[in-house]
Amino acid sequence: MHPPIAEKKVKSRNYDAVAGIYEMLANLYSFGLIRRAKLAELDHLKPGDRVLYLGAGSGEDAVAAARMGAQVTAIDLSVRMIDRLRRRMARKRLEAELIAGDALALAPDPLFDAVCGNYFFNVFGPDDMPVVLARAATYVRPGGHLMIADMAPPSGLLGPLAWLYLKFGLSFFWLLGLASQHPIYDYRPALQRLGFRQVALHDHRLFGIGPALYRTLVFVRPEISA
Ligand SMILES: C[S@@+](CC[C@H](N)C(=O)[O-])C[C@H]1O[C@@H](n2cnc3c(N)ncnc32)[C@H](O)[C@@H]1O
């Protein structure tokens, strides 16, 4: 049996130390693909949608969603990440609800039209990740979207090369105390078990060729049956 969410060890304190450079490093390492995978979610949002960003970091995706007219809530355990996001939003004269706190401890009412967990679920080890995913799923209103931008599970002939590249990044993060060592997750089976239906999958490849390195997944929470 899993321990209660509140007792879970979360890896976020170290994110304070890298708050100022995290996005830049991620986008350099991935030639911008990490950002592209996040921004692909915008196609599945519309102005006025209530959107929650879990483990938002400094929130380039949250800023983009607010700019297109979504009502953004963003939460991160790292105070520095949230401070940075707050300054960004202010500079662009955008409004958003920004929370420095534990994304696993929310009880939203009403539920969100869309919940985005971008490079968030892979912070957690294989025992905790499905529990965190299930928790996030409870924040989505029936008929709403759960979206995930993350690494793509390597496949195909060049899959081993993709695996090496992604494992290098993951190990670097692990060394800095920013993530657990774990396989590259495929979130689809866990979400399908929760009754979510996949409605889109965007793969992102270096220069548009070769193996998929990052992926955007979009799921719909089933409507409550009458
Ligand atoms: C790998 S970063 C991704 C940040 C951002 N989503 C992005 O794509 O740039 C993971 C983020 O999750 C945050 N985090 C980890 N555990 C958390 C928790 N329980 N509640 C809220 N944020 C958490 C960390 O502080 C960190 O900013």
Side-chain angles (χ1 to χ4, degrees):
M1 213 167 110
H2 289 291
I5 298 274
E7 288 173 22
K8 288 191 173 302
K9 202 165 65 162
V10 285
K11 314 254 179 191
S12 66
R13 276 187 299 269
N14 298 353
Y15 280 98
D16 272 340
V18 297
I21 54 169
Y22 173 79
E23 271 180 10
M24 186 194 64
L25 275 186
N27 286 318
L28 273 177
Y29 168 70
S30 67
F31 293 86
L33 290 185
I34 285 182
R35 175 187 292 135
R36 188 183 301 173
K38 292 188 267 190
L39 297 187
E41 292 167 347
L42 296 178
D43 291 346
H44 303 274
L45 292 178
K46 48 185 193 317
D49 276 356
R50 295 183 66 249
V51 188
L52 170 66
Y53 284 88
L54 299 169
S58 47
E60 56 189 344
D61 41 5
V63 169
R67 190 186 269 159
M68 67 166 273
Q71 295 178 54
V72 169
T73 299
I75 182 163
D76 200 290
L77 215 44
S78 158
V79 173
R80 285 210 175 159
M81 287 284 198
I82 287 294
D83 280 349
R84 201 172 160 76
L85 179 51
R86 197 181 306 286
R87 287 197 299 274
R88 252 179 163 174
M89 290 280 190
R91 269 200 308 273
K92 296 180 189 305
R93 298 185 198 289
L94 295 168
E95 303 232 327
E97 181 187 18
L98 306 178
I99 307 167
D102 185 359
L104 312 180
L106 292 172
D109 182 19
L111 297 174
F112 287 91
D113 297 311
V115 172
C116 302
N118 296 336
Y119 309 95
F120 169 65
F121 298 111
N122 78 31
V123 165
F124 300 91
D127 288 342
D128 291 342
M129 184 278 286
V131 184
V132 177
L133 198 58
R135 178 83 194 169
T138 65
Y139 301 158
V140 185
R141 70 162 170 80
H145 288 118
L146 178 60
M147 305 203 258
I148 301 176
D150 218 312
M151 295 174 277
S155 64
L157 265 185
L158 294 175
L161 271 184
W163 183 88
L164 271 179
Y165 160 81
L166 293 171
K167 267 293 180 183
F168 173 81
L170 208 49
S171 302
F172 184 65
F173 264 56
W174 171 74
L175 278 173
L176 294 178
L178 298 172
S180 305
Q181 273 288 13
H182 54 71
I184 291 157
Y185 293 135
D186 186 346
Y187 300 105
R188 291 174 295 177
L191 280 168
Q192 276 150 11
R193 275 195 296 277
L194 292 169
F196 280 61
R197 184 169 51 86
Q198 184 185 313
V199 289
L201 181 157
H202 308 279
D203 276 336
H204 308 281
R205 305 164 200 278
L206 207 52
F207 311 118
I209 52 170
L213 296 175
Y214 299 92
R215 174 169 284 178
T216 314
L217 290 163
V218 184
F219 294 85
V220 169
R221 180 176 179 173
E223 300 281 353
I224 294 170
S225 49

